[in-house]
Amino acid sequence: MNVLVTGGAGFIGSNFVLSMLSKHPSYRIVNVDKLTYAGNLENLREAEGNPRYTFVKADICDRQTMDEVIREHAIEAIVNIAAESHVDRSIVGAAEFVETNVGGTTVLLDAAREFKIKRFLQVSTDEVYGSLGPEGKFTEYTPLHPNSPYAASKAAADLLVLAYQHTHGVPALITRCSNNYGPFQFPEKLIPLMIANALQNKPLPVYGDGLNVRDWLHVADHCAALDAVLHRGKEGTVYNIGGSNEKTNLEVIRLILRQLGKPESLITFVKDRPGHDRRYAIDSSRIQSELGWRPAVTFEEGLSATVRWYLEHRTWWERIISGEYKEYYRKMYEER
Ligand code: NAD
Ligand code: DAU
């Protein structure tokens, strides 16, 4: 199969591209990424030189280029991972979120329709469901109630995907996953930010009371779920993906500090995120019973491996913090 992966230079995208290349030795993967601040080609060093892998620097909002890529590479499936993904940034300004997450998804859906793409997988998020109280979990039937501009843009995209499937017969599916962690996560998100700050003996900014709950899943488990849905999911269906692994932010931060041997005095309570969702928890029984997927990595193993990864890849995140990572692909283009 020839698969177009969008956003393949980001956190989940790069993990997904690498896992697809290794799990499916006959597949060709084309990675389209605009290389925003969150895109980092260093994540894909392992794929460089692989004849089954092609990188195209492009914006998913650019219909002409998307058509060219699909035609030139005889694309059969699209996995749309590209997005503006950080809630805090969407609070500062929502326009780019609407452009990429809603506009870009619509461009890809139109292209999928025209080129009769066989599978269209929209990678979405549990944040479209809003926030939970102390009890209950999100199922695929939970009404959409997005609270942040980011979540609203992802919910809008989900509705378009379902509408294109229903109206135009685009063979689309949606996944809604909980919080991911693991290698190559940009150090603006909770876990890598706390690791990087702790390693630099900087304060760890905890929003509000630190008791907001997230349901953590290792990115390798997310990629395995995406693979299962891409190949075996039922068209027009939404699949929730989660780790059944709820933790408060303070619990996660304390585990990181313990593993790094750093003092809890680094924890600094700061002003809360506006509109901060209190709790997410995913009921993933549909994907488990229909597709046989289940998480393989426990949070204890996964977090400790992730902390080790950031320790062993200090240059990777230091180059992001200093801005040097953008030099990597600037040089790469100059050398071509
Ligand atoms: P990320 O911010 O690390 O990566 C996003 C990637 O998309 C970057 O490489 C960026 O350059 C690219 N991109 C952005 N705008 C683009 C555009 N217009 N055209 C082409 N490429 C563009 O994000 P992530 O954390 O890897 O999340 C990826 C997807 O997974 C998002 O759709 C997000 O909603 C979803 N998701 C993330 C999580 C999580 O915990 N990180 C959980 C569930 C779902
Ligand atoms: O649930 C899936 C979502 O998870 C994805 O759709 C998003 O793309 C992804 O960014 C993530 O969203 P969150 O807002 O849950 O992740 P973030 O890492 O930004 O924050 C996790 C929790 O930690 C949240 O309760 C806010 C808190 N936090 C975060 C940061 C960055 C802090 O207390 N301090 C911080 O500095």
Side-chain angles (χ1 to χ4, degrees):
M1 189 150 70
N2 297 334
V3 185
L4 168 59
V5 177
T6 71
F11 162 49
I12 295 169
S14 56
N15 279 282
F16 184 69
V17 166
L18 296 176
S19 76
M20 289 289 280
L21 285 169
S22 90
K23 280 189 193 155
H24 302 287
S26 65
Y27 282 21
R28 287 169 56 218
I29 308 292
V30 179
N31 169 19
V32 164
D33 198 296
K34 184 180 169 185
L35 298 180
T36 66
Y37 78 93
N40 185 354
L41 287 180
E42 290 188 28
N43 303 358
L44 292 156
R45 273 203 173 129
E46 208 183 305
E48 279 171 23
N50 186 329
R52 295 187 293 112
Y53 169 72
T54 308
F55 172 68
V56 180
K57 182 178 186 303
D59 187 332
I60 58 165
C61 301
D62 174 354
R63 175 68 199 272
Q64 199 186 324
T65 306
M66 292 310 103
D67 284 2
E68 282 164 18
V69 168
I70 292 171
R71 199 178 297 115
E72 185 186 335
H73 297 278
I75 295 297
E76 295 161 278
I78 297 177
V79 182
N80 184 26
I81 307 182
E84 287 296 333
S85 70
H86 193 42
V87 174
D88 292 331
R89 287 179 189 258
S90 80
I91 296 169
V92 176
E96 282 174 330
F97 286 74
V98 176
E99 269 164 44
T100 287
N101 301 0
V102 187
T105 301
T106 312
V107 164
L108 293 172
L109 286 165
D110 281 327
R113 197 182 151 206
E114 181 167 331
F115 288 92
K116 302 197 171 20
I117 293 296
K118 294 190 190 109
R119 287 302 247 188
F120 186 103
L121 173 55
Q122 174 71 4
V123 177
S124 187
T125 168
D126 61 356
E127 297 206 10
V128 298
Y129 297 122
S131 185
L132 290 165
E135 303 295 326
K137 291 187 174 196
F138 298 131
T139 74
E140 289 85 356
Y141 298 103
T142 302
L144 300 189
H145 194 298
N147 288 320
S148 70
Y150 158 70
S153 69
K154 293 293 291 186
D158 283 12
L159 293 177
L160 281 158
V161 170
L162 293 173
Y164 269 65
Q165 193 273 334
H166 182 82
T167 307
H168 298 301
V170 171
L173 310 96
I174 296 176
T175 54
R176 293 186 181 140
C177 190
S178 60
N179 286 63
N180 282 216
Y181 67 99
F184 301 123
Q185 188 166 31
F186 198 88
E188 65 184 351
K189 306 281 164 63
L190 182 78
I191 289 181
L193 177 75
M194 297 301 158
I195 298 172
N197 278 17
L199 286 172
Q200 299 169 94
N201 299 311
K202 282 187 179 168
L204 310 192
V206 177
Y207 298 163
D209 60 8
L211 298 179
N212 301 66
V213 172
R214 296 293 182 263
D215 178 353
W216 294 96
L217 182 75
H218 193 274
V219 65
D221 280 326
H222 188 188
C223 291
L226 296 179
D227 192 328
V229 174
L230 175 66
H231 290 96
R232 293 181 282 114
K234 212 165 87 208
E235 277 171 29
T237 305
V238 173
Y239 292 92
N240 281 353
I241 306 169
S244 291
N245 182 44
E246 293 180 50
K247 296 268 180 276
T248 65
N249 295 335
L250 273 177
E251 283 174 316
V252 172
I253 292 165
R254 288 198 174 113
L255 284 170
I256 293 171
L257 287 172
R258 206 169 308 144
Q259 192 176 335
L260 291 174
K262 297 285 182 178
E264 290 200 5
S265 56
L266 287 175
I267 294 175
T268 309
F269 290 92
V270 298
K271 198 163 162 282
D272 207 354
R273 170 186 280 174
H276 197 174
D277 285 339
R278 192 64 173 169
R279 174 172 167 258
Y280 303 146
I282 278 273
D283 175 343
S284 60
S285 47
R286 172 179 286 171
I287 187 172
Q288 299 211 20
S289 64
E290 284 185 22
L291 306 182
W293 171 87
R294 42 191 51 74
V297 185
T298 67
F299 188 65
E300 290 63 32
E301 285 162 13
L303 186 68
S304 114
T306 301
V307 170
R308 275 201 310 280
W309 189 90
Y310 281 86
L311 272 169
E312 286 161 9
H313 295 79
R314 201 170 170 128
T315 331
W316 179 87
W317 57 264
E318 281 179 344
R319 282 166 59 77
I320 290 178
I321 290 169
S322 71
E324 265 180 86
Y325 70 118
K326 290 287 174 198
E327 283 297 293
Y328 181 79
Y329 61 81
R330 196 183 57 75
K331 280 200 195 110
M332 212 169 105
Y333 279 109
E334 277 173 8
E335 279 159 17
R336 276 182 184 168

